[in-house]
Amino acid sequence: MAILKIYTAPDPVLKRVAAPVDTVDDTIRKQMDDMLETMYHDDGIGLAAPQVGISNRIVVIDVEQKQGEDKTGLNRKGNPMFFANPEIIWSSEECSVYNEGCLSVPELYGEVERPASVRVKYLDYDGKEQEIAAEGLLATCIQHEIDHLNGILFIDHLSALKRNIILRKLKKLSKNAEVEVL
Ligand code: NI
C-alpha cells in the first residue's frame, strides 16, 4: 500500500466530474487500499478519488475509526467502507447541519445543511451491487464524498461571503506553505 498525495483547492482536479468505473478489478482495489491508508494517515473520515488526483468515482469512508497519536495508518481501522460509482437514490426531507471540514480544504470548516438520511446504491470492494441506508455522520460523509465526484466542495454549499473568506484564508495558508518549502 502507499500514501498518496492529497490535492487541495483550488487544484482543477477537484472541480472535474469524475468518470464511472467499469469494473472493480485489482487495479481499482489497489486504489481503494491506497486511498484508505492515505485517509487514515491524514486523519480523515472519508476520501474521494479526485482528492488524490484520480478522476474516477471511488470513495472510501470509515466513520468508526480509532483516534490516537499513532497515524501509521491501518491500526486506525474501525469499519472501512469502499464505494465504486456511488449514487444517491433517496434522500430525506429532514435536514441536518454539520460543521464540515475537508482534507482538500485544510484547516477550514463551515456549517453545511444536507438531508439527514440517504439511500445509496454502489459497487463494493468485490464489485457486487449494494445498497445502504445511512444517517447521522455517515449520511453527511457519503454526501460530502459524492459531491467530490461531481466536482463540488463543501465550501460550494456556503454563502458567497463565507466561501470568499475561506478561499482567502486558503490562499494565505498556501503562501505560508511556500515559505516553509523554500
Ligand atoms: Ni472532502
Side-chain angles (χ1 to χ4, degrees), residues 46 51 101-104 144-145 148:
Q51 296 185 269
C102 180
L103 293 177
S104 294
H144 175 118
E145 303 312 332
H148 273 301

Side-chain angles (χ1 to χ4, degrees), residues 6 15 23 28 37 39 78 80 121 135 139-140 142 153 165 174:
I6 304 252
K15 299 308 286 176
T23 36
I28 293 295
E37 195 178 20
M39 182 191 80
K121 184 176 95 171
E135 53 178 25
T140 294
I142 287 183
L153 299 173
I165 291 171
S174 67

Side-chain angles (χ1 to χ4, degrees), residues 25-169:
D25 56 14
D26 285 345
T27 309
I28 293 295
R29 273 188 281 274
K30 162 98 170 63
Q31 181 192 332
M32 288 169 159
D33 291 338
D34 288 346
M35 282 173 59
L36 189 75
E37 195 178 20
T38 304
M39 182 191 80
Y40 290 135
H41 178 266
D42 282 63
D43 222 353
I45 57 170
L47 191 66
Q51 296 185 269
V52 292
I54 305 170
S55 202
N56 67 10
R57 303 185 81 79
I58 299 292
V59 163
V60 299
I61 289 176
D62 188 347
V63 292
E64 295 170 41
Q65 67 189 273
K66 302 167 188 86
Q67 302 295 324
E69 290 293 298
D70 191 349
K71 288 197 190 173
T72 48
L74 297 173
N75 53 354
R76 292 168 71 92
K77 198 184 271 188
N79 179 23
M81 304 173 82
F82 304 92
F83 301 84
N85 303 340
E87 205 184 306
I88 295 170
I89 53 173
W90 175 84
S91 22
S92 64
E93 276 177 30
E94 190 202 341
C95 286
S96 67
V97 176
Y98 190 82
N99 194 27
E100 296 189 19
C102 180
L103 293 177
S104 294
V105 189
E107 292 173 49
L108 300 169
Y109 300 86
E111 289 197 336
V112 179
E113 186 181 65
R114 301 179 186 274
S117 331
V118 288
R119 281 195 80 83
V120 175
K121 184 176 95 171
Y122 63 101
L123 301 176
D124 67 12
Y125 193 83
D126 299 312
K128 264 201 254 158
E129 234 181 78
Q130 302 279 4
E131 243 182 71
I132 186 177
E135 53 178 25
L137 182 56
L138 180 60
T140 294
C141 190
I142 287 183
Q143 292 174 82
H144 175 118
E145 303 312 332
I146 291 176
D147 268 358
H148 273 301
L149 305 182
N150 295 322
I152 298 166
L153 299 173
F154 81 85
I155 53 175
D156 296 321
H157 290 283
L158 306 177
S159 68
L161 179 69
K162 278 190 195 157
R163 185 167 52 245
N164 284 334
I165 291 171
I166 284 192
L167 286 173
R168 233 177 291 139
K169 281 188 192 159

